[in-house]
Amino acid sequence: MSGPESPEGSDEFGQIAEFFRPLTRGDPGAFDLLDDAAVLTSREGMDIVVTQDALVEGVHFPPGETPEDVAARFIRVNLSDLAAKGAEPFAWLQTLAWSPDWPLDRRRAFARGLAEEAVAFGLTLLGGDTVSTPGPLVISGTFFGRCPKGGMTPRSGARPGDLLLVSGPVGDGWLGLQAVTGSLDDPSGRLARKFRRPEPRLDLRSSLRACARAAADVSDGLIADARHIAVASRCGVRLALEEVPLSRMAADWLAQRPDEAVARCALASGGDDYEIVLAAAPVHRARLEAAGCTVIGAFVDGPSQVLLYGAELAAGPGGWRHA
């Protein structure tokens, strides 16, 4: 990891030694973060699954969030991608572009947050890069997981006749962002926590490996991510909005909206839920429902549709898109 001298006078090597070397947890492949490369140790009969994602302050999370919450969100949204692949995470690389709004005390708190997440999820930091920017904080991570050889769950395996399922409630992440920014009352703080500290569905690894033909995490929005599977699989998908599971908080919010169709589309398009949307043959329905998944539609040999009580809706993009 390399980068410029900090404004406080503690140079990049001192910060790396203090903040990030402990996160290697003694892994010999990290070389104490004193090298420009790392070594990944393979295991017989296993594939290494790799994912990469970046967070930009003011785009992926609001300015002013606590360093610990930023660290948790960074780790967890990346682990969600591995969860959707049926992989077990074990290590990561990171690039940090520190903003002027992140002095030494905030950097130190961010490192503490990373350490807590690394312990919770069994992760080792292998290296990366540290630089400064006149713009907002940017964090980019490359995360590594393992799965049995040939056993990764792709996006592209759905077939017409497969069920469309989702692993849990949808809409809380979008409502949570509104709670974080103060535009929605959240007396319990549960919605805000859904946004700040999503739970990657790593518990579904065995069910995905055994049952899912295709899967993605719900980051852009349920409608958009279901369509991503359909496009990759060269088929269509029909999503029944009334079947999409909602938390009590989201159901209460929905009950107060004058237009059910618009409100349900908003919940299913908002993103940041980090549940798993997947395709599976009907024979696996009972096992997946026992694991907490809900059938919300089916993959078809035809165009994709978003339906509410059988009527087709114009759902727009169905999720977040960068320009």
Side-chain angles (χ1 to χ4, degrees), residues 128-166:
D129 198 10
T130 304
V131 299
S132 292
T133 175
L137 173 72
V138 179
I139 319 162
S140 180
T142 301
F143 284 70
F144 303 92
R146 294 188 180 98
C147 70
K149 195 167 186 64
M152 189 198 84
T153 308
R155 279 189 181 181
S156 56
R159 304 175 187 174
D162 283 351
L163 302 175
L164 172 69
L165 303 98
V166 68

Side-chain angles (χ1 to χ4, degrees), residues 15-181:
Q15 291 185 35
I16 290 168
E18 177 188 353
F19 299 164
F20 304 125
R21 189 169 296 152
L23 304 185
T24 68
R25 303 169 69 187
D27 190 313
F31 301 107
D32 284 336
L33 303 185
L34 295 173
D35 208 312
D36 286 330
V39 172
L40 290 175
T41 303
S42 61
R43 292 182 181 177
E44 187 175 355
M46 303 293 283
D47 285 334
I48 293 178
V49 182
V50 184
T51 188
Q52 197 275 339
D53 211 348
L55 301 184
V56 180
E57 190 168 22
V59 177
H60 300 98
F61 60 92
E65 290 287 273
T66 71
E68 294 86 353
D69 282 337
V70 174
R73 182 167 173 79
F74 164 62
I75 294 289
R76 293 172 183 224
V77 302
N78 276 281
L79 294 190
S80 182
D81 282 324
L82 291 178
K85 303 298 99 184
E88 180 179 0
F90 67 93
W92 89 102
L93 300 168
Q94 69 184 25
T95 295
L96 288 167
W98 291 120
S99 162
D101 296 329
W102 282 72
L104 200 60
D105 61 334
R106 283 179 62 78
R107 298 181 189 188
R108 188 172 282 118
F110 176 80
R112 287 196 301 268
L114 286 182
E116 292 175 3
E117 296 297 303
V119 169
F121 292 105
L123 296 171
T124 296
L125 178 65
L126 294 179
D129 198 10
T130 304
V131 299
S132 292
T133 175
L137 173 72
V138 179
I139 319 162
S140 180
T142 301
F143 284 70
F144 303 92
R146 294 188 180 98
C147 70
K149 195 167 186 64
M152 189 198 84
T153 308
R155 279 189 181 181
S156 56
R159 304 175 187 174
D162 283 351
L163 302 175
L164 172 69
L165 303 98
V166 68
S167 63
V170 167
D172 287 357
W174 178 67
L175 294 174
L177 175 58
Q178 295 177 59
V180 166
T181 57

